[in-house]
Amino acid sequence: MIAQRHTGLAVRAMVRGDLAAIGFMMFTLLVVALAIDLAKWLGSVQAQAQATDASLISVLLPYIGYRSVDIVTRLLTMACLAGGFVVTLLRHQRQDDVILAAAGAGPSFRIAALLISGLLLGGLQMAGENWLRPEAVAGQVAANLGDYGKRYNETDMGTQWVIDDTRALRATLTRGENPKLNDVMLFDGLTEPKLTNVLHARAAHPSFDEGVWTFEDVTVWDVANASAPSAEPRLDMPFNLDPETVRWFGVDAYYLPNHALRAIATAPDDAASSDAATALAVRKVAIFLPAIFALLGVSLASQGTVGRRLSPFLLLALAAIGYLAVVSVKVFWALGIHGVLPPLLAATLPAVFAFGLACLLQLRLSGYLPRLPRKHLPKVTP
């Protein structure tokens, strides 16, 4: 009976209102972001169409699709906050809450509507983070379009250094479907007073055995014993460098597929592993973010109404608080990416803070928390 009441006509109307407001905000943000993006990259899209002897529309429409998936995934939480904020003000102006309260509908009806719309949008957010955006970015890179095409289409990463316990490797790194290392120098004995061995190889690629790399055209110097260099056509050697790390070297973790993230996250502790572990943690909590920020938007807007009036300056301050809450999500994610915070804590802490703030505002609105005392003008006796 309770479930039936909380999915009735009133709740469904609120869900439709929430989704309409959030959808409008998302559409507005999408149009603005696409306009900014096309103003910068439309020329490169035209050049790509000419280079491939294709029509502009056949290149532009897929590019807009790729960018739209990325933008929606990035900005959906902002749209949920802004949509919840705006729809609350509209409901206040129409006195919807007064009408529902007179009909016996309590605050639980509004919470139920937010939960339903939040879970629907949470499914979209989770799909975008886990599957849609990685595929869209991969398609954009393969087509060599826009910013991602410029950054990630190039496979030659130049000379890079990799540290593994007591060894340091310097090589020209090639990422992509066939990752490999060229012009390899391997220095052994970093923890010793002097190097013990130095190895040079023309190339190196992952072996069939996990954790083993195959070095080709190898020359080894035994520095510790001052021996003459020895040459080997092929040498298999264990080295803690995951092939997935080389394949996706330099690509931000939140653009990678889940299987690659899991492989990189379990690699030895370095910047790439913390980046991948944070991206995996973010994808686990993604389903909850739209509902939390929609609730926060509703809760903030409810504090800016005094009777039938709206307090514009207070609403601006409350909107700024909501914006800071959304920005804090990105800030904490960056702390996890750089290894300052544990990945799970970096992914969940801003969401917990936003949810806690929304709950406190709802308790204050319901009268469970004291309001700030108001100053009254002294009575003037005639």
Side-chain angles (χ1 to χ4, degrees):
M1 183 63 181
I2 295 177
Q4 186 176 4
R5 290 181 59 195
H6 286 78
T7 55
L9 290 175
V11 173
R12 292 201 295 270
M14 285 187 278
V15 171
R16 288 194 296 269
D18 293 340
L19 294 178
I22 293 172
F24 176 77
M25 289 297 171
M26 187 69 258
F27 177 76
T28 302
L29 293 172
L30 178 61
V31 169
V32 172
L34 283 176
I36 295 172
D37 187 88
L38 289 175
K40 182 178 181 180
W41 296 107
L42 183 58
S44 66
V45 173
Q46 292 174 326
Q48 183 71 7
Q50 293 174 357
T52 57
D53 197 22
S55 64
L56 177 61
I57 295 298
S58 65
V59 178
L60 181 61
L61 289 182
Y63 175 70
I64 291 176
Y66 297 146
R67 295 297 299 126
S68 297
V69 172
D70 181 42
I71 292 167
V72 170
T73 305
R74 284 176 175 270
L75 299 181
L76 184 57
T77 51
M78 175 65 76
C80 289
L81 176 78
F85 197 92
V86 169
V87 77
T88 301
L89 299 181
L90 294 176
R91 288 175 55 81
H92 176 77
Q93 290 297 96
R94 295 195 303 260
Q95 299 188 11
D96 289 354
D97 293 332
V98 176
I99 296 171
L100 288 174
S108 61
F109 284 76
R110 186 73 186 103
I111 300 299
L114 282 172
L115 182 62
I116 294 172
S117 57
L119 288 178
L120 291 174
L121 294 169
L124 177 62
Q125 181 75 32
M126 185 176 66
E129 292 281 1
N130 284 274
W131 304 290
L132 299 180
R133 181 164 66 175
E135 289 294 330
V137 172
Q140 186 177 337
V141 172
N144 195 17
L145 295 172
D147 183 46
Y148 297 149
K150 181 180 179 181
R151 278 194 285 168
Y152 302 140
N153 188 264
E154 179 63 43
T155 59
D156 187 0
M157 300 305 298
T159 301
Q160 303 292 336
W161 284 88
V162 179
I163 307 299
D164 170 30
D165 297 331
T166 64
R167 296 180 293 182
L169 182 144
R170 189 198 70 185
T172 301
L173 187 148
T174 301
R175 69 183 178 194
E177 291 297 327
N178 299 307
K180 64 178 181 178
L181 307 174
N182 294 312
D183 191 17
V184 182
M185 292 292 296
L186 182 63
F187 305 92
D188 201 351
L190 297 183
T191 59
E192 302 297 327
K194 63 179 182 179
L195 295 177
T196 57
N197 291 284
V198 176
L199 177 149
H200 177 267
R202 179 182 56 81
H205 56 82
S207 176
F208 292 105
D209 297 328
E210 185 176 355
V212 176
W213 283 74
T214 299
F215 296 83
E216 299 177 352
D217 296 336
V218 180
T219 303
V220 180
W221 288 269
D222 187 350
V223 180
N225 298 318
S227 301
S230 60
E232 297 285 345
R234 180 186 179 96
L235 180 64
D236 290 334
M237 181 183 299
F239 191 78
N240 288 329
L241 179 60
D242 193 277
E244 291 294 325
T245 303
V246 181
R247 180 183 178 186
W248 302 100
F249 187 87
V251 181
D252 293 321
Y254 42 83
Y255 299 137
L256 304 187
N258 284 330
H259 67 86
L261 288 179
R262 295 188 188 99
I264 297 172
T266 56
D269 188 22
D270 59 9
S273 62
S274 60
D275 190 4
T278 302
L280 287 173
V282 167
R283 292 178 182 185
K284 292 177 182 177
V285 302
I287 190 172
F288 303 107
L289 294 180
I292 290 173
F293 281 94
L295 176 62
L296 180 60
V298 168
S299 304
L300 288 169
S302 300
Q303 309 298 313
T305 58
V306 181
R308 289 288 303 128
R309 296 180 300 164
L310 299 177
S311 178
F313 293 105
L314 179 57
L315 286 172
L316 285 175
L318 293 168
I321 293 173
Y323 178 75
L324 290 176
V326 174
V327 171
S328 71
V329 174
K330 311 296 183 183
V331 172
F332 276 89
W333 289 359
L335 293 177
I337 288 171
H338 294 288
V340 179
L341 288 177
L344 188 59
L345 186 63
T348 57
L349 196 59
V352 171
F353 170 76
F355 181 69
L357 177 60
C359 290
L360 288 175
L361 294 174
Q362 287 294 325
L363 290 173
R364 182 176 182 271
L365 187 65
S366 301
Y368 292 102
L369 294 179
R371 293 176 177 267
L372 295 176
R374 295 182 180 178
K375 295 181 179 180
H376 298 279
L377 293 176
K379 294 182 179 180
V380 178
T381 55

